[in-house]
Amino acid sequence: MRAKPWLLGAALPLALAGGGWAALRAADWWGRRFLDAGRSVVDFLESLARALAARDAERIASHFSAGFAGSDLGLLDPRPAGERDGVRILRFAPGAAPEATPAGAAGGLPLGAATQDRAAAVAAWLAYLDGFAEIEQVALHLDRLERWRPSRGRDLRASVRFELIGTPRCAQGAAQGARPPGMAGIDRAVLRMRLERGCGQGRGPHELSLRAAALAGGERVIGDRPQFVDVAGAAGVGFRNRYYPPFLAEPLRFGMIRHGPAGITAVDYDDDGFYDLFVPDGVAARLLRNRGDGSFEDVTEQAGLAGLDGVSVGVFGDYDNDGHKDLFVSRTFRPNQLFHNNGDGTFTDVTASAGLGEDCCTTAAAWGDYDNDGRLDLYVGRYLDPRHGIPTTFYARNGEPNRLYRNHGDGTFRDVTAEAGVGDPGLCLGAAWGDFDGDGFPDLFVANDFGRSTLYRNHGDGTFADVTTAAGALAYGAGMNASWGDVDNDGRLDLYETDIRSEHAWFAEIPTVARHLANCLRQGVWRTDLPLYLEILRQSGLGFVDVFREMAAGNHLLHNRGDGTFEDVSAQAGANPPGWFWGAALADLDNDGWLDIYCANGWVYGRPGTEMELEFLDHVIGRQREYKRGTFFDPRSFAGRSWHGWERNRHLRNHGDGTFQEIGRAAGSDLVTNSRGVAVADFWNRGVLDIAVAASDDCHALLRNELVTRRHWLQVELRGTRSNRDAVGARVVAVAGGQAQLREVAAGDGYASQSALRLHFGLGDHAEVELLTVTWPASGIEQSFRGVAADRIVEITEGSDRLVEKRYRR
């Protein structure tokens, strides 16, 4: 019997629709199976880590298959790889030369020669653990799920990050000249593992058991004395940051916002040569005057700055060129404010007459003379209003538009955002001015949470062009911080942006992306999300999986090629350590002539061992309607659990060869303070840079640098005449020992923070700067000084050939 044409016409769309719906269900099923496989590995690794931390032989053994066949991990015999400033690096190497395992042995995975059975492997782990007098923390994190089967096949293969923090015994590594007991150490390694599902036959009470393991690489970083000491308590800085009361009292769609604000600013507001601190706060921001004797005094009230609540950022700049640094502060749900520095230690609120917009929800601000007219203009970065909005998805462009205010020179400003073309709608958390192409006009980089960043090239005529895609500066991720600096001393400004490096970056794979797209359609949120996918398509082509991987991969170090483009060197440089990062500073912390990196880390404290990130990611992918309602952003849903809580700040030492080494534990700078803002300055004029760190719902820190007299240094203060008085945008190049270093004056960068305007150059063993060159932004004047003696602070005035030594003492 022949079907009627109208029946076929009706059945075909139904069949296509049914097939499409089945495909969406299949994609969701595939993604959930991938999640289940990864979660089983995560649970297994957490269980094994707890057993290792307890040094429990029976529990450790229960994680190994009776048929285990692995290689010696080499953890018992770390080999010396360098020492500097009391920090020693030792490398782990496998005990037997790695080789491809024949098919059938250890499952055919190239895990090295099978030299250990189960008993030998457990014994090796116990011997390694016995080498520590104290063990503070052991962690095993799934880095990548290399092989899995959605049909729940028995074989799983994974790359795993291992980390142990502890104090080695005196005898540990004696052949390598180990230090006395009490030294701080951290061991890190990447292991490759083969795991099998199922119980019985010698396996322990786990869904998985370890069938084979091998070392891919690793190192021990250990120190016998701290390079940094936290003196915040004695200095009067170690008070607790407090939440903005409306964040706790008012209904918020994006309740997580309460955990964000905590900036910090280093500024010499009274021009006495000692850097003071301005500390934003939810309840009352504080101005702390540096007494010069190691302590600070709270002068907030007498300065006329009392009662500033809801402040997330405060940046100082001499907008009227009278020689005194004025103050701009954000006020969250209130209009921002501008305070004029009267030059006598007090400030006057001039907001009403200045012409600045109300601009609620400001999270970043930076002073810069974008038109080179000799007057500081102001860029204001904004997030979204958490009372009404939430980030649309992983890629959000629904923020409050940023603002650019042009300084008229008569105490007033005008909003020129539209004509300049810099009203980025991302969720801004960082903004920084820097002349990346060397044309004499400052360009602008904007770091955005939930998505991508934006690079604006300054045309020099009052307008900007968005060159982000063409320049390779999209930097997909949860952008928190924007910093310019020449990290490789090639004479060009590179970019450093901090992001979140998820502990579950393995989740960003094809099954997850497919599941997200499928649920976007199935759950009816495609109207808001699909346009964002199309924007990613226009920017980056069909590589959605690569984009998602980048979003989970952490911090970005973008190397300036010098042709208007950047190369992402984050991974090969070792500049993207694991963590939930906020503020960062590019600064020469050891005076060796190379910019190091210091990053603030942490998110939400909770009960240890209750990490909730993977649950959140699953909800975002699988329950998108609830996500849109803000359910998963409500702190009440955390129920006391931890979310990237108890994380350590990271201190990346620049090797000078394009790579960095994380030394925070050994250097004493790996704070666990739920850190946010970072400001760097030589607070006591000793020739080394100290670090001020703001915390969220914790006490602020002040890290005093103890490497005094180790190496030579030079600090340069600039005084503009035709250029702006603070010399923001001026460039200084110092050549010592044939090596050139570039610095550019910036007033506001990092996350809600500001570091010293005084430029610092570490000179290593060189007691003289052969050539010191200053290029001024407004006038274009270039001044050169030869044979500048080291170990002092000098002042250079625009247009004057006189170099003045500055002596600041209490």
Side-chain angles (χ1 to χ4, degrees):
M1 180 179 178
R2 295 181 60 186
K4 296 181 179 180
W6 66 267
L7 187 59
L8 286 174
L12 184 59
L14 291 174
L16 291 174
W21 192 256
L24 296 178
R25 289 174 59 89
D28 180 63
W29 175 87
W30 185 37
R32 285 187 284 112
R33 294 288 76 76
F34 175 71
L35 170 65
D36 290 343
R39 183 154 41 199
S40 68
V41 176
V42 170
D43 292 343
F44 172 85
L45 294 175
E46 290 179 349
S47 175
L48 177 56
R50 289 192 294 269
L52 292 171
R55 312 190 206 208
D56 188 321
E58 183 176 349
R59 285 170 57 196
I60 294 171
S62 73
H63 292 78
F64 286 74
S65 166
F68 177 86
S71 62
D72 180 2
L73 301 181
L75 299 179
L76 291 171
D77 188 27
R79 313 292 172 81
E83 178 176 3
R84 181 152 61 101
D85 299 330
V87 176
R88 294 163 46 80
I89 311 298
L90 301 98
R91 305 287 185 203
F92 295 120
E99 59 185 49
T101 306
L109 182 66
L111 288 172
T115 59
Q116 290 184 333
D117 60 11
R118 178 187 185 187
V122 173
W125 273 107
L126 290 172
Y128 164 71
L129 296 170
D130 190 55
F132 290 87
E134 296 180 0
I135 294 177
E136 184 176 337
Q137 179 179 326
V138 178
L140 286 162
H141 298 285
L142 175 58
D143 189 59
R144 188 181 177 197
L145 196 57
E146 297 177 347
R147 178 175 174 180
W148 70 287
R149 296 174 183 172
S151 58
R152 295 187 61 81
R154 293 178 58 187
D155 193 58
L156 290 170
R157 304 184 186 188
S159 172
V160 174
R161 287 189 300 104
F162 167 71
E163 185 172 273
L164 183 147
I165 300 174
T167 304
R169 300 184 191 278
C170 182
Q172 174 72 11
Q176 290 82 41
R179 301 303 188 193
M183 55 188 174
I186 185 166
D187 288 359
R188 295 189 180 95
V190 175
L191 308 176
R192 299 195 65 206
M193 292 184 174
R194 176 191 167 193
L195 303 109
E196 291 182 335
R197 290 190 176 97
C199 296
Q201 300 180 2
R203 295 182 176 87
H206 316 288
E207 180 183 355
L208 300 175
S209 62
L210 185 58
R211 176 67 173 169
L215 176 73
E219 64 192 10
R220 169 171 294 173
V221 182
I222 195 163
D224 62 348
R225 57 189 177 275
Q227 177 182 339
F228 287 90
V229 176
D230 186 1
V231 298
V237 178
F239 50 86
R240 181 177 292 272
N241 171 272
R242 295 164 294 178
Y243 292 135
Y244 183 39
F247 285 167
L248 306 177
E250 296 186 20
L252 304 177
R253 288 193 67 198
F254 189 62
M256 285 168 59
I257 195 73
R258 72 169 63 164
H259 300 290
I264 197 160
T265 294
V267 57
D268 182 9
Y269 84 95
D270 53 1
D271 301 309
D272 66 353
F274 285 85
Y275 270 84
D276 314 295
L277 283 169
F278 179 79
V279 186
D281 189 79
V283 175
R286 304 191 200 185
L287 178 63
L288 306 177
R289 182 178 179 270
N290 188 342
R291 292 190 176 107
D293 61 357
S295 67
F296 292 75
E297 61 176 323
D298 189 335
V299 296
T300 312
E301 186 170 353
Q302 51 264 51
L305 298 175
L308 295 176
D309 65 349
V311 179
S312 59
V313 59
V315 289
F316 287 77
D318 185 0
Y319 73 84
D320 55 359
N321 291 331
D322 65 354
H324 307 295
K325 295 172 180 58
D326 311 298
L327 171 64
F328 170 85
V329 296
S330 67
R331 295 297 305 278
T332 308
F333 295 157
R334 301 184 184 183
N336 300 328
Q337 289 179 267
L338 181 66
F339 291 89
H340 177 259
N341 188 333
N342 300 320
D344 59 1
T346 67
F347 292 80
T348 299
D349 186 347
V350 295
T351 311
S353 61
L356 297 179
E358 295 189 356
D359 301 336
C360 80
C361 311
T362 295
T363 47
W367 295 100
D369 184 4
Y370 80 95
D371 51 3
N372 280 348
D373 64 356
R375 298 185 292 265
L376 286 178
D377 311 299
L378 181 66
Y379 190 74
V380 176
R382 305 163 73 197
Y383 205 75
L384 52 71
D385 190 330
R387 296 168 293 188
H388 312 299
I390 62 171
T392 47
T393 183
F394 290 111
Y395 183 85
R397 303 292 289 165
N398 63 325
E400 299 288 333
N402 299 342
R403 305 291 190 200
L404 175 61
Y405 291 98
R406 183 175 184 270
N407 187 342
H408 287 165
D410 58 0
T412 67
F413 294 78
R414 181 171 65 89
D415 185 346
V416 295
T417 310
E419 61 199 74
V422 291
D424 189 86
L427 310 185
C428 179
L429 289 177
W433 296 98
D435 183 7
F436 83 89
D437 54 3
D439 66 354
F441 286 89
D443 309 296
L444 178 64
F445 184 72
V446 179
N448 292 317
D449 197 4
F450 287 90
R452 57 156 278 187
S453 294
T454 303
L455 176 62
Y456 292 108
R457 183 180 182 275
N458 191 335
H459 286 151
D461 60 1
T463 67
F464 294 75
D466 183 343
V467 297
T468 316
T469 303
L474 283 163
Y476 287 112
M480 309 284 191
N481 171 96
S483 297
W484 294 96
D486 183 7
V487 300
D488 51 4
N489 286 343
D490 66 354
R492 298 186 291 266
L493 290 179
D494 309 299
L495 265 170
Y496 193 65
E497 177 188 279
T498 60
D499 302 272
I500 296 169
R501 178 169 167 181
S502 172
E503 289 292 6
H504 300 288
W506 60 269
F507 193 48
E509 292 290 348
I510 293 176
T512 301
V513 177
R515 183 183 174 206
H516 185 269
L517 276 169
N519 286 326
C520 179
L521 295 170
R522 293 176 68 213
Q523 298 179 19
V525 301
W526 57 270
R527 289 180 180 85
T528 58
D529 287 16
L530 284 187
L532 300 173
Y533 271 96
L534 292 176
E535 184 171 336
I536 294 174
L537 176 67
R538 288 192 296 270
Q539 294 168 171
S540 303
L542 292 171
F544 291 115
V545 176
D546 290 335
V547 170
F548 271 68
R549 286 174 180 158
E550 185 180 350
M551 287 181 177
N555 299 350
H556 287 83
L557 177 58
L558 303 182
H559 171 252
N560 188 339
R561 291 189 176 108
D563 60 358
T565 67
F566 293 82
E567 176 188 8
D568 187 345
V569 297
S570 316
Q572 55 265 47
N576 63 334
W580 190 300
F581 292 105
W582 298 86
L586 301 179
D588 187 355
L589 299 174
D590 52 11
N591 283 350
D592 67 349
W594 299 88
L595 291 177
D596 309 298
I597 302 173
Y598 188 81
C599 305
N601 192 7
W603 179 219
V604 178
Y605 286 154
R607 298 186 304 275
T610 59
E611 176 60 42
M612 59 174 289
E613 182 193 5
L614 186 56
E615 177 184 320
F616 174 82
L617 294 173
D618 179 31
H619 288 165
V620 171
I621 298 296
R623 298 161 63 181
Q624 294 184 29
R625 288 177 181 168
E626 290 180 71
Y627 173 92
K628 302 296 184 187
R629 290 196 293 268
T631 304
F632 308 126
F633 295 123
D634 188 341
R636 292 173 297 183
S637 70
F638 300 172
R641 288 174 293 174
S642 181
W643 192 349
H644 275 267
W646 313 106
E647 296 207 348
R648 299 174 180 273
N649 292 358
R650 303 288 185 172
H651 178 172
L652 307 180
R653 184 172 67 190
N654 191 335
H655 284 315
D657 61 359
T659 65
F660 292 81
Q661 176 78 51
E662 207 289 305
I663 63 168
R665 172 67 176 181
S669 53
D670 63 333
L671 298 170
V672 186
T673 56
N674 222 13
S675 303
R676 296 293 184 268
V678 174
V680 172
D682 182 358
F683 287 104
W684 295 284
N685 296 331
R686 300 170 303 135
V688 288
L689 292 175
D690 312 295
I691 308 172
V693 183
S696 173
D697 192 32
D698 205 333
C699 295
H700 306 302
L702 182 58
L703 296 177
R704 179 181 169 100
N705 194 332
E706 297 297 322
L707 288 183
V708 182
T709 73
R710 285 293 184 87
R711 299 181 183 90
H712 296 292
W713 55 277
L714 181 72
Q715 294 180 0
V716 180
E717 296 181 348
L718 299 177
R719 178 172 180 168
T721 54
R722 292 171 58 186
S723 300
N724 65 87
R725 173 62 178 78
D726 286 336
V728 174
R731 287 189 162 198
V732 179
V733 175
V735 180
Q739 175 66 62
Q741 302 177 48
L742 166 68
R743 303 284 187 270
E744 187 170 293
V745 181
D749 63 353
Y751 171 76
S753 299
Q754 180 177 359
S755 291
L757 297 181
R758 183 194 299 163
L759 300 179
H760 179 93
F761 296 87
L763 304 177
D765 297 330
H766 306 289
E768 179 184 88
V769 172
E770 300 145 23
L771 178 63
L772 187 69
T773 303
V774 184
T775 305
W776 296 90
S779 65
I781 292 174
E782 184 175 293
Q783 297 170 248
S784 296
F785 304 86
R786 296 187 179 275
V788 180
D791 303 328
R792 57 188 183 142
I793 303 170
V794 298
E795 181 185 73
I796 300 172
T797 299
E798 184 176 13
S800 172
D801 292 332
R802 186 178 172 217
L803 186 147
V804 179
E805 181 172 357
K806 307 291 285 190
R807 297 180 183 272
Y808 301 116
R809 293 188 177 93
R810 285 282 185 250

